Structures are given as C-alpha cells and as structure tokens.
Short mmCIF file of all heavy atoms in Angstrom, two decimals:
data_model
loop_
_atom_site.label_atom_id
_atom_site.label_comp_id
_atom_site.label_asym_id
_atom_site.label_seq_id
_atom_site.Cartn_x
_atom_site.Cartn_y
_atom_site.Cartn_z
N THR A 1 -81.71 67.14 -46.24
CA THR A 1 -82.13 66.41 -47.46
C THR A 1 -80.92 66.05 -48.22
O THR A 1 -80.19 66.95 -48.76
CB THR A 1 -83.07 67.32 -48.27
OG1 THR A 1 -84.17 67.76 -47.51
CG2 THR A 1 -83.57 66.55 -49.54
N LEU A 2 -80.58 64.75 -48.29
CA LEU A 2 -79.31 64.30 -48.82
C LEU A 2 -79.39 63.89 -50.28
O LEU A 2 -80.43 63.31 -50.74
CB LEU A 2 -78.82 63.11 -48.04
CG LEU A 2 -78.56 63.36 -46.58
CD1 LEU A 2 -78.06 62.04 -45.91
CD2 LEU A 2 -77.59 64.46 -46.34
N GLY A 3 -78.32 64.09 -51.03
CA GLY A 3 -78.12 63.46 -52.33
C GLY A 3 -78.92 64.11 -53.45
O GLY A 3 -79.10 63.41 -54.48
N ILE A 4 -79.30 65.36 -53.36
CA ILE A 4 -79.90 66.08 -54.55
C ILE A 4 -78.80 66.77 -55.28
O ILE A 4 -78.17 67.67 -54.72
CB ILE A 4 -80.95 67.05 -54.01
CG1 ILE A 4 -82.01 66.42 -53.09
CG2 ILE A 4 -81.63 67.72 -55.22
CD1 ILE A 4 -82.85 65.35 -53.78
N PRO A 5 -78.52 66.33 -56.57
CA PRO A 5 -77.51 67.01 -57.28
C PRO A 5 -78.00 68.16 -58.14
O PRO A 5 -79.17 68.17 -58.54
CB PRO A 5 -76.93 65.85 -58.21
CG PRO A 5 -78.22 65.11 -58.50
CD PRO A 5 -79.06 65.19 -57.24
N TRP A 6 -77.07 69.08 -58.42
CA TRP A 6 -77.32 70.16 -59.46
C TRP A 6 -76.11 70.23 -60.30
O TRP A 6 -74.98 70.40 -59.80
CB TRP A 6 -77.61 71.46 -58.75
CG TRP A 6 -77.80 72.58 -59.76
CD1 TRP A 6 -78.66 72.67 -60.82
CD2 TRP A 6 -77.05 73.82 -59.87
NE1 TRP A 6 -78.54 73.79 -61.60
CE2 TRP A 6 -77.49 74.52 -60.91
CE3 TRP A 6 -76.03 74.36 -59.06
CZ2 TRP A 6 -77.00 75.75 -61.26
CZ3 TRP A 6 -75.53 75.61 -59.37
CH2 TRP A 6 -76.06 76.28 -60.52
N LEU A 7 -76.28 70.07 -61.63
CA LEU A 7 -75.21 70.23 -62.54
C LEU A 7 -75.07 71.70 -62.88
O LEU A 7 -75.93 72.34 -63.37
CB LEU A 7 -75.58 69.42 -63.85
CG LEU A 7 -74.50 69.35 -64.94
CD1 LEU A 7 -73.27 68.64 -64.46
CD2 LEU A 7 -75.11 68.64 -66.16
N VAL A 8 -73.90 72.23 -62.45
CA VAL A 8 -73.63 73.68 -62.54
C VAL A 8 -73.68 74.13 -63.94
O VAL A 8 -73.13 73.52 -64.82
CB VAL A 8 -72.26 74.01 -61.94
CG1 VAL A 8 -71.93 75.44 -62.02
CG2 VAL A 8 -72.28 73.60 -60.40
N ASP A 9 -74.35 75.27 -64.17
CA ASP A 9 -74.43 75.90 -65.50
C ASP A 9 -73.39 77.01 -65.53
O ASP A 9 -72.46 77.08 -64.74
CB ASP A 9 -75.82 76.32 -65.78
CG ASP A 9 -76.47 77.25 -64.76
OD1 ASP A 9 -75.72 77.95 -64.05
OD2 ASP A 9 -77.68 77.25 -64.69
N LYS A 10 -73.60 77.94 -66.44
CA LYS A 10 -72.68 79.10 -66.65
C LYS A 10 -72.75 80.18 -65.61
O LYS A 10 -71.95 81.11 -65.64
CB LYS A 10 -72.83 79.59 -68.08
CG LYS A 10 -72.40 78.65 -69.16
CD LYS A 10 -72.64 79.24 -70.51
CE LYS A 10 -72.25 78.21 -71.56
NZ LYS A 10 -72.27 78.71 -72.92
N GLU A 11 -73.76 80.16 -64.77
CA GLU A 11 -73.94 81.30 -63.86
C GLU A 11 -72.84 81.42 -62.87
O GLU A 11 -72.21 80.50 -62.48
CB GLU A 11 -75.31 81.22 -63.24
CG GLU A 11 -75.41 80.34 -62.05
CD GLU A 11 -76.78 80.37 -61.41
OE1 GLU A 11 -77.01 81.24 -60.56
OE2 GLU A 11 -77.61 79.56 -61.77
N LYS A 12 -72.69 82.66 -62.39
CA LYS A 12 -71.67 82.96 -61.41
C LYS A 12 -72.35 82.98 -60.02
O LYS A 12 -73.36 83.56 -59.86
CB LYS A 12 -71.08 84.40 -61.68
CG LYS A 12 -69.90 84.80 -60.88
CD LYS A 12 -69.66 86.32 -61.10
CE LYS A 12 -68.61 86.53 -62.11
NZ LYS A 12 -68.16 87.93 -62.16
N PHE A 13 -71.77 82.15 -59.12
CA PHE A 13 -72.43 82.02 -57.73
C PHE A 13 -71.36 81.46 -56.80
O PHE A 13 -70.30 81.04 -57.23
CB PHE A 13 -73.65 81.11 -57.80
CG PHE A 13 -73.24 79.69 -58.04
CD1 PHE A 13 -73.06 78.79 -56.91
CD2 PHE A 13 -73.01 79.20 -59.31
CE1 PHE A 13 -72.69 77.52 -57.13
CE2 PHE A 13 -72.63 77.89 -59.54
CZ PHE A 13 -72.43 77.05 -58.41
N TYR A 14 -71.68 81.42 -55.54
CA TYR A 14 -70.90 80.62 -54.57
C TYR A 14 -71.85 79.91 -53.66
O TYR A 14 -73.06 80.09 -53.77
CB TYR A 14 -69.96 81.59 -53.77
CG TYR A 14 -68.79 80.78 -53.23
CD1 TYR A 14 -67.91 80.09 -54.05
CD2 TYR A 14 -68.59 80.75 -51.81
CE1 TYR A 14 -66.89 79.39 -53.55
CE2 TYR A 14 -67.51 80.04 -51.29
CZ TYR A 14 -66.66 79.33 -52.18
OH TYR A 14 -65.64 78.62 -51.63
N PHE A 15 -71.30 79.07 -52.77
CA PHE A 15 -72.21 78.19 -52.05
C PHE A 15 -71.73 77.94 -50.58
O PHE A 15 -70.59 78.13 -50.28
CB PHE A 15 -72.40 76.86 -52.79
CG PHE A 15 -71.14 76.04 -52.85
CD1 PHE A 15 -70.94 74.93 -52.01
CD2 PHE A 15 -70.17 76.31 -53.84
CE1 PHE A 15 -69.82 74.14 -52.09
CE2 PHE A 15 -69.01 75.52 -53.90
CZ PHE A 15 -68.88 74.49 -53.04
N LYS A 16 -72.64 77.44 -49.75
CA LYS A 16 -72.40 77.27 -48.37
C LYS A 16 -71.62 75.97 -48.03
O LYS A 16 -71.95 74.89 -48.50
CB LYS A 16 -73.73 77.20 -47.61
CG LYS A 16 -73.64 77.14 -46.08
CD LYS A 16 -74.93 77.47 -45.41
CE LYS A 16 -74.85 77.33 -43.90
NZ LYS A 16 -73.84 78.16 -43.26
N ASP A 17 -70.56 76.14 -47.28
CA ASP A 17 -69.80 75.01 -46.83
C ASP A 17 -70.61 74.05 -45.94
O ASP A 17 -71.55 74.51 -45.31
CB ASP A 17 -68.51 75.45 -46.13
CG ASP A 17 -68.86 76.17 -44.79
OD1 ASP A 17 -69.29 75.58 -43.87
OD2 ASP A 17 -68.63 77.44 -44.78
N GLY A 18 -70.26 72.79 -45.93
CA GLY A 18 -70.92 71.84 -45.01
C GLY A 18 -72.27 71.36 -45.57
O GLY A 18 -72.56 70.17 -45.48
N ASN A 19 -73.11 72.27 -46.04
CA ASN A 19 -74.38 71.86 -46.59
C ASN A 19 -74.32 71.23 -47.94
O ASN A 19 -75.21 70.49 -48.33
CB ASN A 19 -75.35 73.06 -46.68
CG ASN A 19 -75.75 73.58 -45.33
OD1 ASN A 19 -75.23 73.21 -44.33
ND2 ASN A 19 -76.76 74.45 -45.31
N LEU A 20 -73.28 71.60 -48.68
CA LEU A 20 -73.15 71.12 -50.07
C LEU A 20 -71.78 70.56 -50.33
O LEU A 20 -70.81 71.10 -49.78
CB LEU A 20 -73.41 72.28 -51.04
CG LEU A 20 -74.78 72.88 -50.96
CD1 LEU A 20 -74.84 74.26 -51.62
CD2 LEU A 20 -75.84 72.02 -51.61
N THR A 21 -71.69 69.54 -51.14
CA THR A 21 -70.43 69.00 -51.53
C THR A 21 -70.23 69.25 -53.02
O THR A 21 -71.13 69.16 -53.85
CB THR A 21 -70.37 67.47 -51.22
OG1 THR A 21 -70.67 67.27 -49.89
CG2 THR A 21 -69.01 66.92 -51.50
N TRP A 22 -69.00 69.58 -53.37
CA TRP A 22 -68.60 69.97 -54.70
C TRP A 22 -67.86 68.87 -55.36
O TRP A 22 -66.85 68.39 -54.89
CB TRP A 22 -67.76 71.24 -54.57
CG TRP A 22 -67.20 71.87 -55.79
CD1 TRP A 22 -67.42 71.61 -57.07
CD2 TRP A 22 -66.22 72.96 -55.76
NE1 TRP A 22 -66.66 72.44 -57.89
CE2 TRP A 22 -65.95 73.29 -57.07
CE3 TRP A 22 -65.57 73.69 -54.69
CZ2 TRP A 22 -65.04 74.30 -57.37
CZ3 TRP A 22 -64.70 74.64 -55.06
CH2 TRP A 22 -64.44 74.97 -56.37
N LEU A 23 -68.36 68.40 -56.53
CA LEU A 23 -67.73 67.36 -57.34
C LEU A 23 -67.28 67.89 -58.71
O LEU A 23 -68.05 68.56 -59.35
CB LEU A 23 -68.71 66.15 -57.53
CG LEU A 23 -69.16 65.41 -56.21
CD1 LEU A 23 -70.46 66.06 -55.75
CD2 LEU A 23 -69.37 63.97 -56.55
N ARG A 24 -66.08 67.55 -59.01
CA ARG A 24 -65.52 67.94 -60.36
C ARG A 24 -64.94 66.64 -60.97
O ARG A 24 -64.05 66.06 -60.43
CB ARG A 24 -64.46 69.02 -60.24
CG ARG A 24 -63.81 69.36 -61.59
CD ARG A 24 -62.93 70.57 -61.53
NE ARG A 24 -63.73 71.77 -61.40
CZ ARG A 24 -63.28 72.96 -60.98
NH1 ARG A 24 -61.99 73.07 -60.64
NH2 ARG A 24 -64.06 74.01 -60.88
N ASN A 25 -65.56 66.29 -62.08
CA ASN A 25 -65.15 65.03 -62.75
C ASN A 25 -63.74 65.05 -63.25
O ASN A 25 -63.19 66.16 -63.52
CB ASN A 25 -66.12 64.64 -63.84
CG ASN A 25 -66.05 65.64 -65.00
OD1 ASN A 25 -66.33 66.84 -64.83
ND2 ASN A 25 -65.63 65.14 -66.18
N ASN A 26 -63.14 63.90 -63.51
CA ASN A 26 -61.87 63.85 -64.21
C ASN A 26 -62.11 63.23 -65.60
O ASN A 26 -63.26 63.13 -66.06
CB ASN A 26 -60.77 63.09 -63.43
CG ASN A 26 -61.17 61.58 -63.19
OD1 ASN A 26 -61.92 61.03 -64.01
ND2 ASN A 26 -60.63 61.04 -62.16
N GLU A 27 -61.07 62.83 -66.32
CA GLU A 27 -61.19 62.39 -67.66
C GLU A 27 -61.89 60.99 -67.81
O GLU A 27 -62.23 60.57 -68.93
CB GLU A 27 -59.81 62.36 -68.40
CG GLU A 27 -58.92 61.26 -67.86
CD GLU A 27 -58.21 61.52 -66.51
OE1 GLU A 27 -58.31 62.67 -66.02
OE2 GLU A 27 -57.65 60.55 -65.94
N LEU A 28 -62.16 60.33 -66.71
CA LEU A 28 -62.76 59.01 -66.78
C LEU A 28 -64.28 59.03 -66.93
O LEU A 28 -64.90 58.07 -67.35
CB LEU A 28 -62.44 58.19 -65.52
CG LEU A 28 -60.95 57.85 -65.32
CD1 LEU A 28 -60.76 57.15 -63.96
CD2 LEU A 28 -60.48 56.92 -66.45
N ILE A 29 -64.86 60.18 -66.61
CA ILE A 29 -66.37 60.26 -66.57
C ILE A 29 -66.77 61.61 -67.04
O ILE A 29 -66.12 62.66 -66.75
CB ILE A 29 -66.86 59.92 -65.17
CG1 ILE A 29 -68.35 59.54 -65.10
CG2 ILE A 29 -66.53 61.05 -64.16
CD1 ILE A 29 -68.73 58.80 -63.91
N THR A 30 -67.95 61.69 -67.72
CA THR A 30 -68.46 62.96 -68.16
C THR A 30 -69.35 63.56 -67.00
O THR A 30 -69.89 62.81 -66.21
CB THR A 30 -69.35 62.78 -69.43
OG1 THR A 30 -70.51 62.08 -69.11
CG2 THR A 30 -68.58 62.21 -70.56
N PRO A 31 -69.42 64.86 -66.94
CA PRO A 31 -70.21 65.52 -65.89
C PRO A 31 -71.69 65.01 -65.91
O PRO A 31 -72.24 64.71 -64.86
CB PRO A 31 -70.12 67.00 -66.20
CG PRO A 31 -68.93 67.18 -67.06
CD PRO A 31 -68.79 65.92 -67.86
N ARG A 32 -72.24 64.92 -67.07
CA ARG A 32 -73.64 64.59 -67.18
C ARG A 32 -73.90 63.10 -66.78
O ARG A 32 -74.86 62.83 -66.12
CB ARG A 32 -74.18 64.82 -68.59
CG ARG A 32 -75.64 64.90 -68.62
CD ARG A 32 -76.30 65.70 -69.71
NE ARG A 32 -76.20 67.07 -69.67
CZ ARG A 32 -76.95 67.90 -68.94
NH1 ARG A 32 -77.88 67.42 -68.17
NH2 ARG A 32 -76.82 69.21 -68.98
N PHE A 33 -72.95 62.25 -67.12
CA PHE A 33 -73.11 60.86 -66.68
C PHE A 33 -72.97 60.78 -65.16
O PHE A 33 -73.85 60.11 -64.51
CB PHE A 33 -72.03 59.94 -67.28
CG PHE A 33 -72.26 58.48 -67.03
CD1 PHE A 33 -73.02 57.72 -67.84
CD2 PHE A 33 -71.73 57.91 -65.87
CE1 PHE A 33 -73.28 56.38 -67.57
CE2 PHE A 33 -71.92 56.55 -65.58
CZ PHE A 33 -72.77 55.80 -66.47
N LEU A 34 -72.05 61.51 -64.55
CA LEU A 34 -71.97 61.55 -63.11
C LEU A 34 -73.23 62.10 -62.44
O LEU A 34 -73.73 61.55 -61.46
CB LEU A 34 -70.73 62.40 -62.69
CG LEU A 34 -70.46 62.53 -61.21
CD1 LEU A 34 -70.25 61.16 -60.53
CD2 LEU A 34 -69.23 63.45 -61.02
N TYR A 35 -73.77 63.16 -63.05
CA TYR A 35 -75.03 63.72 -62.51
C TYR A 35 -76.14 62.68 -62.56
O TYR A 35 -76.86 62.46 -61.54
CB TYR A 35 -75.43 64.97 -63.37
CG TYR A 35 -76.79 65.41 -63.11
CD1 TYR A 35 -77.04 66.27 -61.97
CD2 TYR A 35 -77.85 65.05 -63.87
CE1 TYR A 35 -78.32 66.73 -61.71
CE2 TYR A 35 -79.14 65.52 -63.62
CZ TYR A 35 -79.38 66.30 -62.55
OH TYR A 35 -80.62 66.78 -62.22
N TYR A 36 -76.38 62.00 -63.76
CA TYR A 36 -77.37 61.04 -63.75
C TYR A 36 -77.15 59.86 -62.87
O TYR A 36 -78.08 59.30 -62.29
CB TYR A 36 -77.57 60.54 -65.28
CG TYR A 36 -78.23 61.56 -66.14
CD1 TYR A 36 -77.73 61.90 -67.35
CD2 TYR A 36 -79.42 62.19 -65.76
CE1 TYR A 36 -78.26 62.81 -68.13
CE2 TYR A 36 -80.06 63.12 -66.54
CZ TYR A 36 -79.50 63.47 -67.75
OH TYR A 36 -80.06 64.42 -68.56
N TRP A 37 -75.84 59.48 -62.68
CA TRP A 37 -75.58 58.37 -61.78
C TRP A 37 -75.99 58.73 -60.34
O TRP A 37 -76.50 57.91 -59.67
CB TRP A 37 -74.11 58.04 -61.81
CG TRP A 37 -73.77 56.93 -60.84
CD1 TRP A 37 -73.99 55.62 -60.97
CD2 TRP A 37 -73.21 57.15 -59.52
NE1 TRP A 37 -73.62 54.94 -59.84
CE2 TRP A 37 -73.17 55.86 -58.90
CE3 TRP A 37 -72.85 58.21 -58.78
CZ2 TRP A 37 -72.66 55.61 -57.59
CZ3 TRP A 37 -72.38 58.05 -57.50
CH2 TRP A 37 -72.28 56.74 -56.87
N LEU A 38 -75.76 60.01 -59.98
CA LEU A 38 -76.11 60.44 -58.61
C LEU A 38 -77.61 60.29 -58.29
O LEU A 38 -77.95 60.23 -57.09
CB LEU A 38 -75.67 61.87 -58.38
CG LEU A 38 -74.15 62.02 -58.15
CD1 LEU A 38 -73.77 63.46 -58.31
CD2 LEU A 38 -73.68 61.46 -56.82
N ILE A 39 -78.44 60.23 -59.29
CA ILE A 39 -79.88 60.08 -59.03
C ILE A 39 -80.33 58.59 -59.25
O ILE A 39 -81.55 58.38 -59.12
CB ILE A 39 -80.75 61.14 -59.81
CG1 ILE A 39 -80.50 60.99 -61.28
CG2 ILE A 39 -80.48 62.53 -59.31
CD1 ILE A 39 -81.33 61.97 -62.18
N THR A 40 -79.44 57.75 -59.52
CA THR A 40 -79.79 56.38 -59.66
C THR A 40 -80.03 55.68 -58.27
O THR A 40 -79.55 56.22 -57.28
CB THR A 40 -78.72 55.53 -60.42
OG1 THR A 40 -77.55 55.46 -59.56
CG2 THR A 40 -78.43 56.05 -61.75
N SER A 41 -80.66 54.55 -58.26
CA SER A 41 -80.86 53.85 -57.02
C SER A 41 -79.53 53.37 -56.46
O SER A 41 -79.32 53.30 -55.23
CB SER A 41 -81.80 52.62 -57.20
OG SER A 41 -81.33 51.77 -58.18
N GLN A 42 -78.55 53.03 -57.34
CA GLN A 42 -77.20 52.62 -56.86
C GLN A 42 -76.58 53.69 -55.97
O GLN A 42 -76.09 53.44 -54.91
CB GLN A 42 -76.25 52.27 -58.03
CG GLN A 42 -74.93 51.86 -57.59
CD GLN A 42 -73.90 51.70 -58.74
OE1 GLN A 42 -73.91 52.52 -59.63
NE2 GLN A 42 -73.04 50.74 -58.63
N ALA A 43 -76.64 54.97 -56.44
CA ALA A 43 -76.04 56.04 -55.67
C ALA A 43 -76.91 56.38 -54.45
O ALA A 43 -76.40 56.56 -53.36
CB ALA A 43 -75.88 57.26 -56.59
N GLN A 44 -78.22 56.49 -54.67
CA GLN A 44 -79.13 56.87 -53.59
C GLN A 44 -79.11 55.83 -52.44
O GLN A 44 -79.18 56.20 -51.26
CB GLN A 44 -80.55 57.06 -54.12
CG GLN A 44 -80.64 58.34 -54.97
CD GLN A 44 -80.40 59.63 -54.23
OE1 GLN A 44 -80.90 59.85 -53.19
NE2 GLN A 44 -79.52 60.45 -54.85
N ASN A 45 -78.96 54.54 -52.75
CA ASN A 45 -78.85 53.53 -51.75
C ASN A 45 -77.55 53.66 -50.92
O ASN A 45 -77.61 53.54 -49.72
CB ASN A 45 -78.88 52.12 -52.37
CG ASN A 45 -80.27 51.73 -52.89
OD1 ASN A 45 -81.28 52.33 -52.47
ND2 ASN A 45 -80.34 50.73 -53.76
N GLN A 46 -76.46 54.08 -51.59
CA GLN A 46 -75.24 54.31 -50.86
C GLN A 46 -75.41 55.54 -49.92
O GLN A 46 -74.98 55.56 -48.78
CB GLN A 46 -74.11 54.50 -51.80
CG GLN A 46 -73.69 53.20 -52.52
CD GLN A 46 -72.44 53.40 -53.39
OE1 GLN A 46 -71.32 53.50 -52.91
NE2 GLN A 46 -72.73 53.47 -54.74
#
C-alpha cells in the first residue's frame, strides 16, 4: 500500500527499513504542508 503518510508526533519509536520512507523537510517547506501535499492528487498520481 503506497503513499500513505504519517506526520510524526512526539512519541518515541523506530520503524522498518524498506517498507517506509523517512522525509525531513528543510527551510523551504513546512512539515504540515509537505504532509498535506503527499495526499493530494498531484503526489498520488506521481
């Protein structure tokens, strides 16, 4: 199941390699904007 994002909260955890990709924004974009973009048709079509 591809392209389902989760915006990480304050909890402490780790995750499985290969099944999940980790994105960390830079100063050009806010985390929440990136999260919402990932669920847009523009991102999902790609």
Side-chain angles (χ1 to χ4, degrees):
T1 303
L2 302 179
I4 306 295
W6 176 55
L7 186 61
V8 174
D9 55 25
K10 292 180 182 185
E11 80 178 274
K12 189 191 264 191
F13 71 94
Y14 202 59
F15 67 101
K16 185 166 177 56
D17 62 71
N19 288 14
L20 299 163
T21 306
W22 177 9
L23 295 94
R24 177 170 287 162
N25 68 297
N26 64 25
E27 70 283 348
L28 296 173
I29 198 162
T30 68
R32 198 154 287 280
F33 188 88
L34 180 58
Y35 169 82
Y36 287 130
W37 178 80
L38 285 165
I39 56 178
T40 66
S41 59
Q42 182 190 36
Q44 291 296 310
N45 288 341
Q46 290 183 76

